[in-house]
Amino acid sequence: MRAEDEKRSGPGDGPVLLAHGSGGRLGRELVESVFATAFDNEVLARMEDAALLDVGGRLAMTIDGHVVSPLFFPGGDIGRLAVTGTVNDLAMSGARPLHIAAGFVIEEGLEQEVLSRIAASMREAAAEAGVDIVAGDTKVVERGAADGLFITTCGIGTVSAGVEISAAAARPGDAVLVSGSLGDHGTTILCQREGMSLESDLESDCAPLNGLVEAMLSASGEEIHCLRDPTRGGLAAVLNEIATASGVAIEIKEEHLPIRSQVRAACELLGLDPLVLANEGKLVAFVDAGAANVVLEAMRAHPRGREAAIIGSVAAAEKPRVYLRTQLGSRRILVMPAGEQLPRIC
Amino acid sequence: MRAEDEKRSGPGDGPVLLAHGSGGRLGRELVESVFATAFDNEVLARMEDAALLDVGGRLAMTIDGHVVSPLFFPGGDIGRLAVTGTVNDLAMSGARPLHIAAGFVIEEGLEQEVLSRIAASMREAAAEAGVDIVAGDTKVVERGAADGLFITTCGIGTVSAGVEISAAAARPGDAVLVSGSLGDHGTTILCQREGMSLESDLESDCAPLNGLVEAMLSASGEEIHCLRDPTRGGLAAVLNEIATASGVAIEIKEEHLPIRSQVRAACELLGLDPLVLANEGKLVAFVDAGAANVVLEAMRAHPRGREAAIIGSVAAAEKPRVYLRTQLGSRRILVMPAGEQLPRIC
C-alpha cells in the first residue's frame, strides 16, 4: 500500500480501500471508526471473535462474510469455508457451536449445479463440526452486481460455566502454541489464482476446529487463557491483537514455526511473508506454562493438531509488542500488517 | 418472466435467474431444491421466518441478506432495512428480538462517510427496536465485484412459553388482518429507481414491528395463530405460503385492502400489482375470529398499526388457494407470483 493511499483514508474518512478489508491495522480502524462507534455497546466493544450473550445460560454469537475467489480451491470451497470459519470463531470463544444461519448473495447466471455442490460441501462441513444449518436467505443480484457468490454465515453456541477465554487474558509466563503448519490456505488460494502449481499436495487447511478445542479444554480447561484462529492477516495480526488486548509482549521463535516447504517456496517466489498469510484450520493458544505440555499432548493426539508446537512465550511489557527471534539469534519486531496483501482470501 | 426462461431453470438445474431471487415460486424452488435438500434438518424444513431453537429456553434465529438499490431512499436506507428486516422476521415467530450480528460486503471505493451514515441509521433502528448489534464482520471486494454495499443481518430472540405461531397454524374460521397500507416500500424504491416523483409524501414503511407484535400478543396471545411480514413477493406470496403450509383456503376482499392512492397511481403507470409489492413495516395476522376485534383494537392503538384492517377470512379447502373478492363482487384466484418483478427491492 502506498503512503498516499494510507493518507487518503484516515479513520472514518475517504473511500473504502481494499486494504480496509484486511485483518490488519486499516481493517481495525474502519471497524472502530465506523461500526464500533455507531453500534456502541459493551458486547461488541470487546471485539472478540464471537459475542458472548447471556440469554439464560451463556451463548456465543458470531458472523462472517465469505467472498473468496475462486469459489473452489484445493482442500475446499466457499461453502466449506463459510461453515468452518463460523464454527471456528465460536470455538475460539470456548463455545460449543450448535446452529448456523447462512445468507447467500448470488450473481444472476451462476449455475444451480455449482450452488448445489457448494451447499453439499456446507452440509458435509456442518456434519463434520456437529452443527446444523437452521436458517437461510437467498438474494439474487443482476449480472455484474456481485462476483459469483458471497456467503455470510452466522453461528451460535453455548459456553460452559467456568470457561473464560479472551484475547485480553494472555498473561506473562504463558506459552504460545500453534496447532499446525502456517500459511497453507493463503498460499493455496494465491497459487490457484496466479495459475501456479508448485507442488501438487499443497491444499487449504480449511477445517472445523471445535473438536480440537474440546480436546484441549478437556485436558486443561482453566489453564487455556486465549484462543484465536489466524485467518486474515495471519499469525502476525493475531499475535499483535492479543499483545494489545492483554497488554503484554510476545516473543516467538522462528525455528519453531511449522511452515511447509511448499509454502516457503511460494512465498519466496511471490515476495510474501508466511506469517501474514491466512489460515483456515489452525489455532493459536495462550496457555499457562505449567499446563503447556499437557495441552500440547492433547493437541497432538487430535487429527487437527498432529503438528502442534510451542512457538513462543509471553512476558510483561510496558508497551505491547510482538518479537520474532530469528534462526540467527537476532530479534525483530513483528508488526501488525497494515493493509490487504491478498484481497478475497476468505 | 418469459416461458423459455422458466423452462431453462427447472428445480436444481440451469443458471440462477433474477427470478430466483423473488419471494415467489421460483425462489421457493431454488431454496427447496438446493439448500433445504443439502442442509436437510427438521428446523430448516419448517421454512418459517426464523428458526426456533431449544438452547435451554426457546430461541429464535434468522438471517437476511440486503442488496437494495439505491442504498438510500425516502423513509430509509439499506442499514435501517437490514436491522428492521431481521427484527421483523424474529417478531413474526412471536420472539422477542434481542441481538443482531451484521456482515458487510463493501465494494472498494465506497465513501466511509456513506458507510458511517448507514451505520448510524442501523444504530437508530436498533434502538427503536430495543436490540443490540453485538457482532460484525467486514469484507471489502475490488471495484466491480459488488455493487456498493450488501449487508447480511442475523438475529436471535427468545420465545415465551405458550407462544405457538407458525405459517402452518392458520385455521378455518380465522380472520385475516393487515397492520396498514400495502406496497409502500416497493413503490418507493421503484419510483426512486425510475426517477419518478409521483407524490412527495410517499415513503418506505421500513420499521421494526416487534412493539406492535408485543401489543397484539398482550391483547390475545393464544388466539394469534400466524404472523408474517409481506416483504418480497408482497401480500400475494405470503398468503399463498400460509394457505399451502396450513392447507386452507383464504379469501380477501379487495375493498378492505388499505392501499394508498399514490401507490395505486404508480402501479397503474408501471403496470404492477400492489399485492405483489414488498412491504417492510407491515404484517399479516391470522387470528381466531372471536378475538379478531380485540386484536384489531390493540393494533390500531399502536403507532405501527393505526391503519390496521380485517381484510379476509380462512375456510376449509381440499386444495390450498387464495381468492380475491373484487369490488364488483367477482372472485379470482390470487396466484403465487412466479418470478422477480422487482430485483433488489430489499
Side-chain angles (χ1 to χ4, degrees):
Chain A
M1 176 178 214
R2 291 159 308 170
E4 64 265 38
D5 276 351
E6 204 158 328
K7 205 173 151 202
R8 269 202 293 135
S9 59
D13 187 34
V16 174
L17 306 173
L18 269 175
H20 282 115
S22 74
R25 184 170 53 74
L26 283 170
R28 179 88 182 196
E29 280 175 12
L30 181 75
V31 168
E32 283 177 355
S33 65
V34 175
F35 299 115
T37 314
F39 304 155
D40 185 35
N41 67 63
E42 214 180 287
V43 183
L44 187 65
R46 280 182 220 131
M47 294 274 175
E48 299 283 349
D49 272 355
L52 288 185
L53 309 167
D54 210 336
V55 189
R58 282 196 307 165
L59 210 65
M61 181 180 198
T62 189
I63 194 163
D64 236 324
H66 298 86
V67 298
V68 67
S69 168
L71 296 177
F72 297 88
F73 46 82
D77 56 70
I78 190 172
R80 181 171 174 82
L81 200 60
V83 171
T84 59
T86 287
V87 162
N88 291 348
D89 277 352
L90 291 172
M92 295 312 125
S93 308
R96 187 175 151 240
L98 291 175
H99 302 292
I100 302 262
F104 300 83
V105 174
I106 308 168
E107 183 187 15
E108 180 186 26
L110 184 78
E111 287 298 327
Q112 292 188 55
E113 179 269 332
V114 171
L115 206 53
S116 289
R117 274 166 61 204
I118 289 167
S121 164
M122 293 176 76
R123 177 182 48 187
E124 208 174 288
E128 203 176 322
V131 298
D132 273 335
I133 300 168
V134 295
D137 178 68
T138 309
K139 293 289 184 305
V140 182
V141 298
E142 67 273 24
R143 239 174 254 267
D147 186 12
L149 175 66
F150 303 145
I151 306 178
T152 301
T153 38
C154 180
I156 58 171
T158 48
V159 187
S160 302
V163 174
E164 293 294 345
I165 288 170
S166 160
R171 298 175 208 167
D174 279 359
V176 183
L177 286 73
V178 295
S179 62
S181 60
L182 297 167
D184 297 4
H185 177 76
T187 310
T188 302
I189 299 293
L190 207 68
C191 289
Q192 177 90 348
R193 223 186 269 166
E194 305 283 318
M196 287 166 55
S197 58
L198 281 171
E199 295 276 343
S200 60
D201 65 343
L202 182 63
E203 54 176 39
S204 166
D205 54 356
C206 181
L209 294 173
N210 51 327
L212 175 62
V213 171
E214 248 174 69
M216 293 166 68
L217 290 174
S218 298
S220 191
E222 303 205 345
E223 311 301 334
I224 298 171
H225 300 148
C226 170
L227 292 171
R228 275 280 163 121
D229 55 336
T231 56
R232 275 185 296 176
L235 186 70
V238 155
L239 292 182
N240 273 284
E241 275 175 33
I242 293 170
T244 302
S246 299
V248 294
I250 301 170
E251 180 173 307
I252 58 169
K253 294 196 165 53
E254 196 174 26
E255 61 186 319
H256 294 162
L257 296 174
I259 299 173
R260 292 192 200 289
S261 57
Q262 308 97 298
V263 169
R264 281 191 201 283
C267 282
E268 261 171 46
L269 253 168
L270 298 163
L272 290 169
D273 179 353
L275 300 189
V276 305
L277 289 179
N279 308 275
E280 292 291 344
K282 298 293 153 49
L283 63 80
V284 181
F286 285 66
V287 181
D288 188 278
N293 281 314
V294 173
V295 174
L296 183 67
E297 286 318 305
M299 291 170 81
R300 287 188 171 161
H302 190 278
R304 300 277 172 226
R306 290 207 198 297
E307 296 169 27
I310 298 178
I311 60 166
S313 59
V314 178
E318 272 181 38
K319 211 172 159 175
R321 275 264 191 271
V322 181
Y323 299 101
L324 178 75
R325 178 74 64 179
T326 69
Q327 274 161 323
L328 301 171
S330 66
R331 195 169 90 149
R332 67 171 175 91
I333 292 175
L334 189 64
V335 296
M336 181 76 167
E340 183 64 286
Q341 290 194 316
L342 300 165
R344 300 183 64 189
I345 205 80
C346 60
Chain B
M1 173 179 213
R2 291 159 308 171
E4 65 266 37
D5 277 350
E6 205 159 328
K7 206 172 151 201
R8 272 202 291 136
S9 61
D13 188 33
V16 174
L17 307 172
L18 269 175
H20 283 116
S22 74
R25 185 169 54 72
L26 282 170
R28 179 88 182 194
E29 281 174 11
L30 181 76
V31 168
E32 283 177 355
S33 65
V34 175
F35 299 114
T37 313
F39 304 154
D40 184 36
N41 67 63
E42 213 179 286
V43 182
L44 187 64
R46 280 183 220 131
M47 296 272 175
E48 300 283 350
D49 272 354
L52 287 186
L53 309 168
D54 209 336
V55 188
R58 281 195 308 166
L59 209 64
M61 181 181 200
T62 189
I63 195 164
D64 236 325
H66 298 86
V67 298
V68 68
S69 168
L71 296 177
F72 296 87
F73 46 83
D77 57 70
I78 189 171
R80 182 173 173 80
L81 199 61
V83 172
T84 59
T86 287
V87 163
N88 291 348
D89 277 351
L90 290 172
M92 295 311 126
S93 308
R96 187 175 151 241
L98 290 175
H99 302 293
I100 302 263
F104 300 83
V105 175
I106 308 170
E107 183 187 15
E108 181 187 25
L110 185 77
E111 287 297 328
Q112 291 188 54
E113 179 269 334
V114 171
L115 206 53
S116 289
R117 274 165 63 203
I118 289 167
S121 163
M122 292 177 76
R123 176 182 49 188
E124 207 175 288
E128 203 177 322
V131 299
D132 272 335
I133 301 169
V134 294
D137 179 68
T138 310
K139 292 290 184 306
V140 182
V141 297
E142 68 273 24
R143 240 174 254 267
D147 187 12
L149 175 66
F150 303 145
I151 306 177
T152 301
T153 38
C154 179
I156 58 172
T158 47
V159 187
S160 303
V163 174
E164 293 293 344
I165 288 170
S166 160
R171 299 176 206 164
D174 279 359
V176 183
L177 287 73
V178 295
S179 62
S181 59
L182 297 167
D184 297 4
H185 177 75
T187 310
T188 302
I189 299 293
L190 207 67
C191 288
Q192 177 89 348
R193 223 185 271 164
E194 305 283 318
M196 287 167 56
S197 58
L198 281 171
E199 296 276 343
S200 60
D201 65 342
L202 183 64
E203 55 176 39
S204 166
D205 53 356
C206 182
L209 295 172
N210 51 327
L212 176 63
V213 170
E214 247 174 69
M216 293 167 68
L217 290 174
S218 297
S220 190
E222 304 206 345
E223 312 300 335
I224 299 172
H225 300 149
C226 171
L227 291 172
R228 277 279 163 122
D229 54 337
T231 56
R232 274 184 296 176
L235 186 70
V238 155
L239 293 182
N240 273 284
E241 275 175 32
I242 293 170
T244 302
S246 299
V248 295
I250 300 169
E251 181 172 306
I252 57 169
K253 294 199 165 51
E254 195 174 27
E255 63 187 318
H256 293 161
L257 296 175
I259 299 172
R260 293 192 199 290
S261 56
Q262 308 97 300
V263 170
R264 282 191 200 283
C267 283
E268 260 172 46
L269 252 168
L270 299 162
L272 290 169
D273 179 353
L275 299 190
V276 306
L277 289 180
N279 309 275
E280 291 291 345
K282 299 291 153 51
L283 63 80
V284 181
F286 286 66
V287 181
D288 188 278
N293 281 315
V294 173
V295 174
L296 183 67
E297 286 319 306
M299 292 170 80
R300 287 186 173 163
H302 190 278
R304 300 278 172 224
R306 291 209 197 297
E307 295 169 26
I310 297 177
I311 61 166
S313 58
V314 178
E318 272 181 38
K319 211 174 159 174
R321 276 262 192 272
V322 180
Y323 299 101
L324 178 74
R325 178 74 63 179
T326 68
Q327 272 161 325
L328 301 171
S330 66
R331 194 169 92 149
R332 68 173 174 89
I333 292 175
L334 190 63
V335 296
M336 182 74 166
E340 184 63 287
Q341 289 195 315
L342 300 166
R344 302 184 61 189
I345 206 80
C346 60

